[in-house]
Amino acid sequence: MTQSRLIFSRREILAGFSAIAGSSVIGAPAVLAQAKPQVVVIGGGAGGLTAAKYIAKDSEGKIAVTLVEENVNYQTCFHSNLYLGGFRDYASILHSYDKVGSNGVQMIRSRATVIDRDKKEVVLRDGRRLRYDRVVVSPGIDLKYDSVPGWSQAAEEAMPHGWKPGAQTRLLRRRLDAVPNGGTIVMIAPPNPYRCPPGPYERVSMMAHVLKTSGKTRSKIFIIDPKETFSKQGLFQEGWEKHYKGMVEWLGPKVHDGLKSVDPKSGTVVTGFETYKNAALVNVIPAQMAGSIARDSGLANASGFCPINPETMQSAIDKLVYVLGDAAIAGDMPKSAFSANSQAKVAAMAIRAELTGSRVFPARYTNTCWSLLAPDDTVKVGGAFEPRPDKITSTVPFVSKTGESADLRKETQAENMGWYGGIIADMFT
Amino acid sequence: MQRLSVALRLAGTVVPVLMLSTSAHSSGGDRELGKHLSSECVTCHQISGRVTAGIPAIIGLPEDQFIAMMNGYRDKLRDNQVMQTIAVKFKDDEISALAAYFGSLKRR
């Protein structure tokens, strides 16, 4: 059977099914297996892993799903700030892909390097090619190493970003633990759009918590931010004032007059108004863009992210491609694991409908982002979203209020921990 | 409220057929719709019925109880911003569908 013959129309597949059902030909399952529509999912994170599971499970074997992921374990970026702050151990944010197969997903441990959209094949690092009827692209972000003058990939050890999971997460923790009393921490916050909008500010809260509880109260954290405002700003600033008075200083662009350069060797940060010398830790969170496979496959626009159809998460550039999570331009939805998980379910429904004719329901999207300020003091922001012709649009937004009771904040933290357990169970089992 | 929602569903075009097949021991919610809608819930509420920290189990509940809880959030009588946001989007037939689906699940 030739490669091109493997591509069946839905009618051919259905005809194949009924022909097989009506006879008792030995070896029919092999024919069936080849006739199955093929979905390849690139990236085993909150978007890709969720999509792979729901397509495989809900299609009940009618669609062959292959997940391409190079890592043996998945380290969640979400709650990595809680690891930094000592609220979780590292093992608790690390998850094995061992059970992914139980939902009928075939996993290939490799890196997908490019999508040959003309041939409808995903090309793997080792040269293998996977034919697809639909491909789901969920590669997360890449960092723009050239977006901070003086910083580079070679400098990510000296000035860690901690914005992609793994070694960087642990490096940042070690570097934080090594900050002496009186030492300065400088965070270079990222410009929009970026992964996890409240993330930098929750991270600062966790850094301040570690400094405070280890008696290093003469230390100080400066945030050099290119943005005029940031997510949950009033809530964070209230929390810093309450828990870490005098330890955190946020500087917007009007105050610092622009980041001019950093020097990784000397730990120097130069802004228009100030030079910070000998910083004990400089945490550079650079500008971001869609993971390379999305850009190299021609799925991104000039913004570096991928335009999608708000109804389905289908790429606006290629109808056989779906882009999920941080790599997508998802309108009002923030780049978060919760968003990616929500988008994956919409895409899974759309893909099943296209390939098997299953029932279609209106797309709904949801997101909540919880942020821990201090022990048992957690705030949240979120909402419901729906597709509109121009973009995924926020319909029912909510955010925690300043001055909430300690009991409510504690409850919100319990919810945060519960959500983590929930999304992990949803992705991995 | 319950009677009204049943009346609305009977007036629909697609739901009644499915409803008849599943309504013997339930309020008649469309389980297939419920299964679809449930994917939004199980980002937090574990489908196994297991509980982590502050997110309660929602499977195996009597349908009336499930519907009353969701209506409580939708009418802002129950106090949780996430749940109010989720619930306000649901129509009566969708809440019944969720109640039927989650109510049918057993703890694993």
Side-chain angles (χ1 to χ4, degrees):
Chain A
M1 191 169 274
T2 64
Q3 192 76 326
S4 63
R5 190 62 196 110
L6 279 171
I7 300 163
F8 289 85
S9 70
R10 191 190 301 167
R11 186 170 299 167
E12 280 176 289
I13 293 162
L14 292 174
F17 276 120
S18 52
I20 290 157
S23 65
S24 54
V25 182
I26 295 166
V31 177
L32 250 180
Q34 284 187 323
K36 271 187 195 178
Q38 306 283 324
V39 174
V40 177
V41 179
I42 300 167
L49 187 53
T50 305
K53 170 188 156 175
Y54 276 81
I55 296 167
K57 204 173 168 191
D58 291 344
S59 71
E60 295 169 341
K62 293 194 191 80
I63 298 175
V65 181
T66 306
L67 173 66
V68 182
E69 166 59 52
E70 64 179 326
N71 293 308
V72 176
N73 293 308
Y74 177 61
Q75 188 228 289
T76 60
C77 266
F78 45 105
H79 281 202
S80 65
N81 280 333
L82 274 60
Y83 161 72
L84 188 68
F87 292 89
R88 297 195 76 118
D89 61 26
Y90 192 71
S92 79
I93 58 168
L94 203 60
H95 305 276
S96 161
Y97 286 109
D98 283 356
K99 288 182 189 154
V100 168
S102 63
N103 285 315
V105 176
Q106 189 206 346
M107 190 154 178
I108 294 184
R109 204 149 275 159
S110 182
R111 185 179 175 83
T113 51
V114 76
I115 305 167
D116 183 340
R117 295 198 282 116
D118 292 331
K119 290 189 177 156
K120 295 200 270 183
E121 290 172 348
V122 174
V123 182
L124 305 186
R125 182 167 43 202
D126 59 16
R128 271 184 295 171
R129 286 174 164 257
L130 307 174
R131 193 193 61 79
Y132 64 80
D133 295 298
R134 298 291 181 279
V135 60
V136 177
V137 182
S138 194
I141 50 146
D142 275 352
L143 304 175
K144 288 187 176 171
Y145 282 103
D146 59 358
S147 64
V148 173
W151 193 70
S152 63
Q153 186 157 13
E156 72 179 8
E157 293 286 317
M159 291 186 169
H161 53 80
W163 218 246
K164 295 192 53 149
Q168 276 280 318
T169 309
R170 278 168 289 170
L171 173 63
L172 191 65
R173 167 80 180 265
R174 288 198 301 275
R175 292 289 303 275
L176 172 63
D177 289 343
V179 171
N181 193 9
T184 297
I185 298 176
V186 181
M187 170 186 279
I188 311 297
N192 290 321
Y194 61 96
R195 162 179 284 177
C196 193
Y201 314 98
E202 182 189 57
R203 176 179 284 179
V204 164
S205 309
M206 294 297 93
M207 287 173 163
H209 168 76
V210 168
L211 294 173
K212 182 181 168 182
T213 51
S214 52
K216 298 170 184 171
T217 49
R218 288 191 291 112
S219 295
K220 191 158 179 174
I221 307 168
F222 296 93
I223 308 164
I224 310 298
D225 207 322
K227 304 182 291 296
E228 298 278 358
T229 58
F230 61 89
S231 172
K232 291 188 265 197
Q233 184 164 355
L235 295 163
F236 279 112
Q237 290 183 322
E238 182 190 56
W240 297 337
E241 185 64 20
K242 180 178 177 188
H243 300 292
Y244 316 114
K245 198 169 172 57
M247 294 177 70
V248 178
E249 196 168 328
W250 177 78
L251 305 164
K254 282 185 189 131
V255 181
H256 60 67
D257 193 31
L259 174 66
K260 303 303 174 196
S261 66
V262 299
D263 179 13
K265 283 197 183 115
S266 61
T268 303
V269 176
V270 183
T271 71
F273 284 144
E274 190 77 62
T275 295
Y276 303 86
K277 287 183 182 160
N278 302 315
L281 169 59
V282 179
N283 176 202
V284 177
I285 308 173
Q288 294 155 37
M289 56 190 165
S292 60
I293 187 160
R295 290 178 290 113
D296 294 348
S297 305
L299 299 168
N301 65 19
S303 73
F305 293 98
C306 304
I308 50 91
N309 173 352
E311 292 278 351
T312 56
M313 299 306 295
Q314 206 165 26
S315 163
I317 290 162
D318 185 333
K319 287 188 168 168
L320 303 185
V321 181
Y322 289 73
V323 185
L324 304 178
D326 295 351
I329 301 170
D332 295 341
M333 293 187 89
K335 298 188 185 303
S336 72
F338 200 133
S339 291
N341 174 274
S342 175
Q343 293 158 11
K345 290 162 182 174
V346 170
M349 175 182 67
I351 290 169
R352 285 196 303 116
E354 286 193 351
L355 297 178
T356 69
S358 63
R359 211 167 146 190
V360 179
F361 301 96
R364 293 164 182 266
Y365 299 98
T366 323
N367 176 66
T368 302
C369 296
W370 289 267
S371 301
L372 182 61
L373 304 171
D376 286 330
D377 188 355
T378 294
V379 292
K380 60 186 172 183
V381 61
F385 306 81
E386 63 180 42
R388 300 266 168 85
D390 58 328
K391 63 171 183 173
I392 299 176
T393 305
S394 169
T395 53
V396 195
F398 69 82
V399 62
S400 296
K401 295 175 179 65
T402 52
E404 284 174 341
S405 71
D407 283 351
L408 178 55
R409 293 293 177 84
K410 190 175 178 178
E411 220 172 82
T412 307
Q413 174 54 13
E415 198 176 274
N416 181 17
M417 299 307 283
W419 164 74
Y420 188 93
I423 193 171
I424 292 300
D426 193 28
M427 290 165 64
F428 284 88
T429 55
Chain B
M1 182 65 90
Q2 182 74 4
R3 187 169 298 161
L4 175 67
S5 80
V6 171
L8 284 173
R9 278 197 306 281
L10 285 170
T13 52
V14 180
V15 176
V17 178
L18 284 155
M19 194 185 76
L20 289 175
S21 64
T22 57
S23 61
H25 303 287
S26 73
S27 67
D30 173 351
R31 256 186 233 179
E32 191 183 354
L33 174 64
K35 186 180 179 193
H36 163 70
L37 295 173
S38 74
S39 68
E40 193 174 346
C41 313
V42 298
T43 303
C44 298
H45 299 276
Q46 297 178 44
I47 204 155
S48 62
R50 289 197 194 100
V51 172
T52 306
I55 305 276
I58 56 171
I59 63 163
L61 295 172
E63 293 180 33
D64 288 354
Q65 188 185 332
F66 187 99
I67 290 166
M69 275 200 302
M70 288 298 284
N71 286 342
Y73 286 118
R74 194 171 56 174
D75 300 338
K76 299 200 190 303
L77 301 171
R78 283 177 159 259
D79 207 17
N80 181 294
Q81 288 172 301
V82 178
M83 283 310 303
Q84 287 175 355
T85 301
I86 301 279
V88 77
K89 294 182 300 170
F90 288 128
K91 300 195 252 334
D92 285 345
D93 67 320
E94 293 172 325
I95 290 179
S96 298
L98 282 167
Y101 175 69
F102 280 122
S104 74
L105 299 179
K106 302 233 166 12
R107 198 181 165 80
R108 302 190 255 128

